[in-house]
Amino acid sequence: MNDTLHQLHCFGCGARIAGAEAQPDFRCVHCGDLFEVEYPGWGKRDGHDRPNPGALKWLWRERRCSSEAVDRSGVWRFRELLPILDSFGDVVTLREGNTPLYHLKRASKALGIDQLYAKHQGMNPTGSFKDTGMTAAMSVAKERGFEWVACASTGNTSAAMAAYAARAGLRCLVLIPEGKIAWGKLSQAMDYGAVTCQMPTDFDGCLRLLTQVVKEAPIYLLNSVNPYRLEGQKTPAFEIAEAFGWNVPDHVIVPGGNLGNSSALGKGFRELHELGLVARMPRISVVQAAGANPLVRSFKEHHATALEPVEAHTRASAIRIGNPASWRKAARVIQDTGGWCLDVSEAEIAIAKAEIGAEGLGCEPASAVTLAGLKKLRAQGKIASGETVVLVLTGHTLKDADYTINFHRGTLLKEDEIAGLEAEIAGLRRDAVAVDATPAAVLATLKGSVR
Ligand code: F0G
């Protein structure tokens, strides 16, 4: 870990410490809040460590043609903006990042927004955006000589951590809420060799427990309270800006769970702006599931000055989180960029997910809250037709195949959840049909299919 170029800055009381001084739970000893990585050299105009925007843009593009693993990673390609390691030669990478930005043709048309895109973070090596953060924090863990790493998870963090730990040759411990994570994700943790503890509690309970465990044993905590995770997770902001020729979109819409990702993307865009790589920030909006919406409530009831934990319920299990750790950081991002914080119902999530599926992209339910949220913002007149919008799709559709199959079979949602939306849902469902094994039966099925 390179302690000369970066320091940790407490988000609550402003205390500054060296990276090596961080507590095992990454909480500030003075106020209990979380840290952000800060690069003091960047603040000095013409300072030796201040990156040069023109040179960086050229260098980052050139690296796309390189055959070096560190250059082919969509995180480490931008390493000048995350100088956290002593040596980039030993990064733990699976060639994460460099994910596609797709035009959403059907949704564009339906919503009357020409420039509507999906940044598909589900196209990362383990199928979620967590890989971009894991390569960064796992590389720090390895450099610092840890043997064990650990996380509490709703599934994707554990899948990513297990893969990167295996690549790094480290052991890993996963705490998950029993019966509450998607099979695809659990299978990944098993496959990559994690020690997986299923516990009779929720995600928030798992994280609370793990915080105690890491204080008693030399285990490196890899939840997004670890500020180095967020350094990796800020890089999709760089990719988005680069894809638009260093003109940022008007809106970026992100799902909200533990709220690390929205914080990280906000930090990424803020740094690009402060360093003069882009002229402005996009509005960043966070969408939660209505049954797991503590940040939405915090905005409504306390102007985001306090957050009361909720008992979380949603089928979008990735964001079934009632006491998000990074809520203050995310609230600041929304406020500073003029974005919104809103929630969407279970039926709205399911419909949006099916619509993203019908674009040939697919995503997991938690990712679909972005399109559901966009529809609401558009209906409220908060997003104009000429504006450019990027939805951040956080996970791959195969992560939670049960959810998709149940939707198409009509067994996902309860009657009271779909009241008034029956026709819309029926138009999206594509259940498999049992057909006789004859050409005539197959052709008859084609005739009967609607588009
Ligand atoms: N989307 C997906 C697919 C996720 O897995 C998560 C979080 C989020 C969105 C929310 O991101 O927490 O940074 O606000 N999953 C974590 C996990 C909590 O354990 O895999 P966030």
Side-chain angles (χ1 to χ4, degrees), residues 313-356:
H313 298 282
T314 169
R315 294 183 188 86
S317 57
I319 50 173
R320 195 184 285 152
I321 296 175
N323 189 16
S326 296
W327 72 271
R328 280 186 206 280
K329 291 184 185 177
R332 174 83 63 82
V333 167
I334 295 167
Q335 287 166 332
D336 286 355
T337 65
W340 295 280
C341 184
L342 66 160
D343 58 9
V344 291
S345 72
E346 292 294 298
E348 288 168 332
I349 296 172
I351 290 170
K353 183 176 137 44
E355 287 169 342
I356 293 167

Side-chain angles (χ1 to χ4, degrees), residues 4-7 38-51 275:
T4 54
L5 292 180
H6 86 278
Q7 62 194 14
E38 193 179 67
Y39 306 99
W42 294 2
K44 300 176 198 131
R45 287 231 162 254
D46 304 323
H48 185 64
D49 296 328
R50 189 176 165 86
L275 291 169

Side-chain angles (χ1 to χ4, degrees), residues 46-230:
D46 304 323
H48 185 64
D49 296 328
R50 189 176 165 86
N52 172 321
L56 285 181
K57 289 176 189 174
W58 179 85
L59 182 65
W60 294 339
R61 201 181 51 230
E62 286 298 297
R63 283 184 183 148
R64 300 196 82 148
C65 306
S66 161
S67 55
E68 295 289 320
V70 68
D71 292 339
R72 302 202 73 164
S73 158
V75 170
W76 300 109
R77 184 159 73 84
F78 300 103
R79 54 191 175 270
E80 288 73 18
L81 296 200
L82 52 154
I84 52 178
L85 298 176
D86 276 330
S87 160
F88 291 108
D90 293 328
V91 295
V92 186
T93 174
L94 282 165
R95 295 201 185 166
E96 54 290 319
N98 292 326
T99 53
L101 184 74
Y102 297 113
H103 186 214
L104 289 174
K105 286 191 191 149
R106 286 173 167 225
S108 278
K109 213 168 153 199
L111 291 170
I113 301 173
D114 274 355
Q115 302 296 318
L116 172 57
Y117 298 89
K119 175 72 175 162
H120 207 327
Q121 294 296 96
M123 299 301 186
N124 270 295
T126 77
S128 87
F129 72 100
K130 306 285 181 179
D131 295 347
T132 56
M134 212 44 85
T135 184
M138 192 68 75
S139 298
V140 171
K142 194 177 167 202
E143 234 182 41
R144 294 197 55 194
F146 279 89
E147 271 175 44
W148 278 90
V149 292
C151 72
S153 183
T154 58
N156 280 326
T157 304
S158 51
M161 182 184 76
Y164 282 81
R167 301 300 295 173
L170 305 187
R171 304 290 315 277
C172 76
L173 168 70
V174 165
L175 303 194
I176 51 168
E178 188 172 11
K180 293 179 191 153
I181 80 167
W183 288 119
K185 305 174 188 181
L186 180 58
S187 72
Q188 287 179 290
M190 292 172 168
D191 213 21
Y192 306 140
V195 174
T196 305
C197 303
Q198 310 191 68
M199 321 196 73
T201 176
D202 54 10
F203 167 83
D204 303 293
C206 289
L207 187 53
R208 226 175 11 250
L209 239 143
L210 187 58
T211 304
Q212 292 165 11
V213 172
V214 295
K215 286 180 187 161
E216 287 173 32
I219 302 174
Y220 195 62
L221 181 62
L222 282 176
N223 278 95
S224 57
V225 293
N226 180 325
Y228 301 107
R229 274 268 311 275
L230 303 195

